[in-house]
Structure formats: C-alpha cells, structure tokens
Amino acid sequence: MDLNLDAPHSMGTTIIGVTYNGGVVLGADSRTSTGMYVANRASDKITQLTDNVYVCRSGSAADSQVVSDYVRYFLHQHTIQLGQPATVKVSANLIRMLAYNNKNMLQTGLIVGGWDKYEGGKIYGIPLGGTVVEQPFAIGGSGSSYLYGFFDQAWKEGMTKEEAEQLVVKAVSLAIARDGASGGVVRTVIINSEGVTRNFYPGDKLQLWHEELEPQNSLLDILNAGGPVPMAM
Amino acid sequence: MSQSSVDFPPKGGFSFDLCKRNDMLTQKGLKAPSFLKTGTTIVGLIFQDGVILGADTRATEGPIVADKNCEKIHYMAPNIYCCGAGTAADTEAVTDMVSSQLRLHRYQTGRDSRVITALTLLKKHLFSYQGHVSAALVLGGVDISGPHLHTIYPHGSTDTLPFATMGSGSLAAMSVFEAKYKEGLTRDEGIKLVAEAICSGIFNDLGSGSNVDICVITKGHKEYLRNYMEPNPRTYISSKGYTFTKKTEVLLTKITPLSERVKVVEVAGEAMEE
C-alpha cells in the first residue's frame, strides 16, 4: 500500500450550505488527506471572510487557503472604504474573480454563505472553473455525490434554524459514512441577523447508519431470517 | 610556442558547460546523484507552558546515510523554532530566508516576532513555488498571543494543531501521540512523550535514525537540547585501534619561509575623516 506522503494536501470533503428562514447554516466534515494518510483529522474548513460572511473550502488545501486569505484581505479594505459590512454577493463575486481568472492553476470548490441587511441569508456555490450560482442550498466536495438524492427529498423552503442545522448535520454524517475522503467531526456555522454561532459534533456522537447499526434482534432471529420478501403483485 | 587561451572568469549564473556531458553519461547508463533528503521524523506538541519540538538527526542520500548527526530544528526567532523535513537544502534555505525576514521585521516594528508572521511568510513562499520547494515544516513558538504550533506542507497549505508530526516517520510518531497525548502536559511529561515519538520514528522508519533533538519554548525562555537522547551509540570499538598498513612515503622536506618570497609593504592610507 503506497501512502504517498508527498501528495499535495487535499480536502476530499463534504461541504454544505443551506438557507433557512432568517439566515444560513454552513456545514463541513474535518478530514484533510495527503494521499491515503489523514494529515489532519480535525481541520476547520469553514473560514471567516468577514463578520457576517463565511466560506466552506474543498479541493486543494493550499489553493483554497490562499484564495480565502486574498478575499479576506480585499473584503477588509472594501469594508473600510464602504463604511458598512460587505454583502454576501460582493464576497462571492471576489472569490469568483480569483477562481475564474486563475482557473488553469487552481483546483478548489467553494461555498460562500452569509447574512447581510439587503438580501438576508444567501448561499453562493463556486465550483471548479469559476461559475458563481446563487442557490437556496449548495453541496460540494467528494462526499456531495452521495447527497444529491437526499437533498432532493429532504430539502424544503422556510425551515427553522433548528431544522436547517439538523438537516446539515444529518447530511454531512451520511456523506462521512459513505465517502472515504470525508470523516472526523461535523462543524456547523449558523449566520443570521443576530450574529454567528459555531457548533461542533464529534464523530462518535453522530447517528449510525444502516450497516453500522447493531443487529437489533437476537442471533436466532438473524439466522432464521430469509432474504428480503419479494414484492407481491 | 603554444597559444594558450585566456580563461575568462564565469560571469555568474548557472554554467551550462557540463549539461551535455551529463546527458551523455545518463544515456550511457549512469544514474544522476540523488538529492540529500532528510528522511526524517519531526514532531511538535503544545504543553501547559508552551511548545516542545522534536526531531531525529539522520540525513539520507538515497539509501546512504549522508549525515549521522544533522540539525533539523532551525532557528527562526528567539521565541520561534522550525523543524524541517524533505530536501535538506530546501528546508535550510527557506528557514534561513524567513528567519532573516523576521529579523528585519523586528527591527522595523520594534516588537517580538509572532508565529503567524513566520507562518504567512513561509506559506506564501512555498505556494508561489507550487510544491517544487520540497519543504515540509513543523513551526512552533510562543509569542504575545500564546503558544502556537503549525504544520506547513510543500504546496503551501497549513494546519494548526495541538500536536503534529511530519516526515517519513510521521505515521510511527503520530501513533504514539494519538495514544498518549492529553491537554495540559507538564514539561517533563511533554519531553518524555516527544522523545518517545521520535524514538518510534527512529526505530521503525528507515529514513530516520541516530539521535533525538528537542527544543522547549516557553514564554520568554527557550531550551535547545541538542542530542537529548542518543539511543544509537557506536558500541563496538576495536581495542587494537585503526592503523593503515601502507603509509605515504616522505621523499623530500623543504620549508621556505614566505618572507623570502614576498615583500610586505605598508601603504600609508588616508585617515578616515568625519
């Protein structure tokens, strides 16, 4: 088994951004891998850009860190010049400018989420290539492949803050169960008019899924159980 | 009478004279010499009063041990040290460069350096070289905002951790840390754990070996414990000593004092004027 410790640091990742009635909830796993080795099992992929705008990072760790550092710097200057907090749209646009103009060199997918007084809670997805798409919810990273169907079924408009956060935590934990490049803990950030709340859900406190569950019945039941009952017409 | 050509001194920059010869040799089957890499186990951890860094001391050139006792814990600032893994030249050069930049910055600001300053300078440099500067670093120090420990990867990404390991022996050392690390270690517990992690790398990884170096940094004070532990002493020493059978024969000894050949003249220079 070749671990390849010289491989670039990448965040396999599952990242999610969801709007709710009054703000946004951002969520992410915490695994950073170098080849097949987990270099950091408790990384923080949700980074602050301004007081009211955060970004979820995925893809190359170096590229996403550098892009978010630059945009934080630009937004800081912009806030001073503007005299009021920057909007989520401006933050997303700055990220997009860097991602699009350097599309050949960068390999990072980002989800920008925040709250401002003009538009309320907003989520912008910026995948590889530098498109910017405003969405009611966005998913990204290698673990997101397993969540498209889940969100089609579970997402609804006008959720409360608690419902939205529970949805995000459930989704990230489902993706962690299926994606090898996602793991560790689930971090969430809730942004609304009142401010920012950071939450942390350790891996062993997450719900177990399907094959991870203990068999509920006695051994006898399991031995006697046949296959799934065929559907009767 | 032979015409001898005048040798112009090289004007600086890379000399391409030997490139054709090297190509010809590689085509004939000669392997190019490999870079001096520090196979390495380097670690860092945060304890109750500050940061402890540790490293092994083996430098390898392919399968050969080039240096049995090299120094992998580099000075960055009086309160900041950096362990380096990867290509030895790259880690030396990049840590020296950032150390000078920090010194100039200290003169300009009049304040002690902060660990995140060193972090940003290092990550900017490494990112701009897109991973070709093969330096994987563990940066630790104590500044006005407390103790800090970071890892920096060759592509320019960084992590901030309470305990970290890098290098080929990182897996062996990380297993020790994951089993035994807890918050609020005392100085002695911390040193013991770091030494144990480095020894795990030394004995289980082929790219690491020889001795254990440790550096303890606390607020306002640092201790560089070079060769803190030497678990690989040279135990067999021949009692007969080493002699060489055939010596170099001395045919002639002639001593010429230099004053006979060269006349030293003092030039009365102009005194420096204010």
Side-chain angles (χ1 to χ4, degrees):
Chain A
M1 180 186 67
D2 186 22
L3 282 168
N4 194 14
L5 293 170
D6 295 323
H9 229 25
S10 86
M11 301 177 298
T13 306
T14 307
I15 50 173
I16 301 179
V18 146
T19 56
Y20 72 90
N21 187 13
V24 298
V25 179
L26 299 175
D29 73 308
S30 70
R31 178 172 289 186
T32 312
S33 40
T34 333
M36 287 286 122
Y37 176 64
V38 176
N40 189 350
R41 59 177 167 85
S43 44
D44 186 7
K45 303 185 190 179
I46 311 179
T47 14
Q48 185 184 20
L49 294 180
T50 70
D51 288 338
N52 53 316
V53 181
Y54 279 65
V55 63
C56 297
R57 301 179 288 112
S58 76
S60 157
D63 290 350
S64 67
Q65 280 179 8
V66 161
V67 165
S68 54
D69 283 347
Y70 267 122
V71 172
R72 190 182 310 122
Y73 165 63
F74 295 146
L75 282 173
H76 188 200
Q77 292 193 314
H78 173 67
T79 308
I80 291 169
Q81 289 168 349
L82 197 65
Q84 57 185 29
T87 58
V88 191
K89 189 182 272 195
V90 165
S91 317
N93 203 37
L94 284 169
I95 297 246
R96 187 263 301 207
M97 299 253 74
L98 280 176
Y100 179 76
N101 290 329
N102 297 292
K103 60 160 75 189
N104 296 322
M105 270 88 74
L106 294 174
Q107 200 171 43
T108 169
L110 303 150
I111 296 178
V112 178
W115 184 95
D116 58 53
K117 68 182 189 203
Y118 297 105
E119 306 246 7
K122 283 287 181 202
I123 292 283
Y124 293 86
I126 303 153
L128 256 52
T131 335
V132 67
V133 182
E134 200 260 296
Q135 300 165 295
F137 69 89
I139 54 179
S142 58
S144 65
S145 322
Y146 307 99
L147 297 175
Y148 284 100
F150 172 73
F151 268 91
D152 282 343
Q153 188 252 355
W155 158 263
K156 50 193 208 299
E157 277 284 341
M159 288 188 286
T160 65
K161 179 168 76 155
E162 288 70 29
E163 283 177 338
E165 201 192 5
Q166 271 171 24
L167 177 68
V168 166
V169 173
K170 188 173 180 187
V172 177
S173 96
L174 280 167
I176 286 175
R178 288 291 181 179
D179 179 30
S182 302
V185 308
V186 179
R187 294 192 196 270
T188 61
V189 173
I190 308 173
I191 313 171
N192 51 32
S193 56
E194 279 135 47
V196 176
T197 319
R198 273 189 165 274
N199 286 326
F200 163 83
Y201 299 88
D204 55 354
K205 296 283 180 298
L206 297 173
Q207 194 178 349
L208 290 175
W209 302 109
H210 191 39
E211 284 138 353
E212 296 170 323
L213 291 166
E214 290 292 328
Q216 248 111 30
N217 312 316
S218 75
L219 193 59
L220 221 53
D221 289 351
I222 294 168
L223 285 173
N224 288 336
V229 179
M231 268 205 329
M233 291 298 250
Chain B
M1 198 165 65
S2 60
Q3 288 275 24
S4 58
S5 59
V6 183
D7 266 350
F8 288 107
K11 286 211 179 98
F14 187 72
S15 164
F16 290 90
D17 299 344
L18 291 173
C19 286
K20 257 192 156 174
R21 176 205 86 142
N22 292 342
D23 283 338
M24 185 266 292
L25 285 171
T26 38
Q27 268 173 7
K28 287 208 170 161
L30 183 75
K31 266 200 319 185
S34 51
F35 301 112
L36 179 66
K37 283 182 85 82
T38 47
T40 307
T41 308
I42 49 174
V43 307
L45 62 71
I46 297 195
F47 72 111
Q48 70 185 24
D49 301 322
V51 173
I52 305 179
L53 300 173
D56 75 304
T57 60
R58 174 181 286 185
T60 51
E61 209 172 282
I64 300 169
V65 176
D67 190 346
K68 289 185 279 190
N69 204 190
C70 71
E71 280 187 34
K72 300 188 191 180
I73 306 185
H74 308 282
Y75 168 89
M76 299 286 267
N79 55 327
I80 307 173
Y81 275 75
C82 185
C83 306
T87 305
D90 286 341
T91 56
E92 267 300 327
V94 90
T95 47
D96 274 354
M97 180 192 79
V98 171
S99 174
S100 327
Q101 288 177 341
L102 286 175
R103 174 91 70 109
L104 289 168
H105 194 245
R106 276 202 293 287
Y107 290 145
Q108 191 165 40
T109 56
R111 290 179 167 88
D112 287 340
S113 300
R114 298 191 188 204
V115 182
I116 43 168
T117 316
L119 183 72
T120 311
L121 290 167
L122 285 163
K123 77 145 68 177
K124 273 187 182 263
H125 183 80
L126 291 174
F127 182 79
S128 60
Y129 281 87
Q130 287 290 294
H132 291 289
V133 173
S134 177
L137 310 166
V138 171
L139 176 72
V142 180
D143 57 32
I144 194 78
S145 50
H148 296 274
L149 181 67
H150 302 282
T151 52
I152 308 163
Y153 287 80
H155 287 263
S157 59
T158 59
D159 285 314
T160 308
L161 296 160
F163 57 92
T165 66
M166 295 278 261
S168 55
S170 63
L171 269 65
M174 185 52 96
S175 62
V176 173
F177 274 169
E178 286 282 22
K180 300 189 179 176
Y181 179 83
K182 53 189 207 304
E183 282 188 25
L185 289 163
T186 64
R187 190 199 121 94
D188 290 332
E189 287 173 341
I191 292 179
K192 186 160 164 285
L193 187 58
V194 165
E196 208 181 322
I198 299 286
C199 282
S200 167
I202 286 173
F203 294 120
N204 298 104
D205 172 43
L206 299 178
S208 314
S210 298
N211 315 119
V212 180
D213 283 351
I214 294 206
C215 185
V216 184
I217 312 171
T218 54
K219 191 168 143 93
H221 181 61
K222 59 142 189 280
E223 269 177 271
Y224 185 57
L225 303 165
R226 169 79 169 146
N227 288 359
Y228 170 78
M229 212 196 249
E230 290 179 349
N232 293 300
R234 193 176 190 182
T235 45
Y236 175 73
I237 298 166
S238 165
S239 51
K240 286 191 289 183
Y242 292 95
T243 54
F244 298 95
T245 47
K246 211 170 180 185
K247 294 187 193 164
T248 317
E249 275 181 67
V250 179
L251 295 172
L252 171 69
T253 310
K254 184 176 174 190
I255 302 170
T256 311
L258 212 56
S259 50
E260 284 179 26
R261 291 295 185 99
V262 171
K263 195 163 157 214
V264 178
V265 173
E266 277 230 6
V267 178
E270 295 215 334
M272 269 214 311
E273 286 183 45
E274 287 283 294

